């Protein structure tokens, strides 16, 4: 049951719930959408951090807000699909919902710089979203460090999130490199003791 599983994770001490939304187009996989966000919202007060891996996020901002999302993270790579990122971020801000911006592994973090000041979080993907069977890409820690240094130099305190293959083994190196939001899927949900799994990952 979704409700039981969320209660288990909540009791284990998760700070927020990160929900991946994939449309089978922007990324090859298809994952849950609005009905699941609504269902999750009904059973928890945790912050719902919604990661949109969809081609047309601008069409769904109000719908996700209504469903209960607290933040919407969109991808820099949308620019290669002809999306005006400045306008999209503005739309999300106008809807009074937090905006996150993500980069895929092949995109350098400098792509985030022009938008960082308007973002509530910056997400560095540590594997290619939408494909199964991958593990954490080690070069991610350099990207985290580069982004973190740039933010520090500019005296900006935007949280850095890392997503994909994060485990108890690599969590410390992510935190050391500047990440403060670790997205852990199977490392927490797949653990017999989710509380222990979360404690092992905390800095
Ligand atoms: Zn995600």
């Amino acid at each position: 049951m979704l409700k039981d599983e969320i209660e288990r994770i909540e009791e284990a001490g998760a700070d927020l719930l990160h929900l991946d939304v994939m449309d089978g187009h922007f990324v090859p996989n298809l994952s849950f959408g609005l009905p699941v966000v609504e269902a999750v919202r009904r059973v928890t007060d945790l912050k719902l951090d919604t990661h949109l891996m969809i081609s047309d996020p601008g069409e769904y901002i109000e719908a996700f807000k209504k469903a209960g999302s607290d933040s919407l993270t969109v991808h820099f790579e949308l620019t290669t699909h002809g999306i005006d990122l400045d306008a999209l971020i503005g739309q999300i801000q106008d809807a009074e919902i937090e905006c996150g911006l993500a980069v895929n592994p092949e995109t350098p973090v400098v792509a985030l710089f022009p938008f960082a000041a308007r973002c509530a979080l910056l997400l560095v993907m540590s594997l290619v979203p939408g494909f199964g069977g991958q593990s954490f890409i080690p070069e991610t820690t350099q990207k985290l460090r580069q982004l973190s240094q740039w933010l520090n130099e500019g005296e900006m305190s935007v949280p850095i999130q890392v997503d994909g293959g994060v485990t108890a083994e690599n969590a410390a190196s992510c935190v050391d490199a500047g990440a403060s939001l670790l997205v852990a899927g199977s490392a927490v949900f797949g653990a017999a003791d989710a509380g222990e799994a979360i404690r092992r990952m905390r800095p």
Side-chain angles (χ1 to χ4, degrees), residues 18 20 51 53 163:
H18 177 93
D20 283 329
H51 180 189
M53 289 166 275
D163 181 10

Side-chain angles (χ1 to χ4, degrees), residues 189-201:
F189 283 87
D193 184 342
E196 172 63 17
I198 290 173
R199 280 189 293 280
R200 282 183 66 202
M201 272 182 249

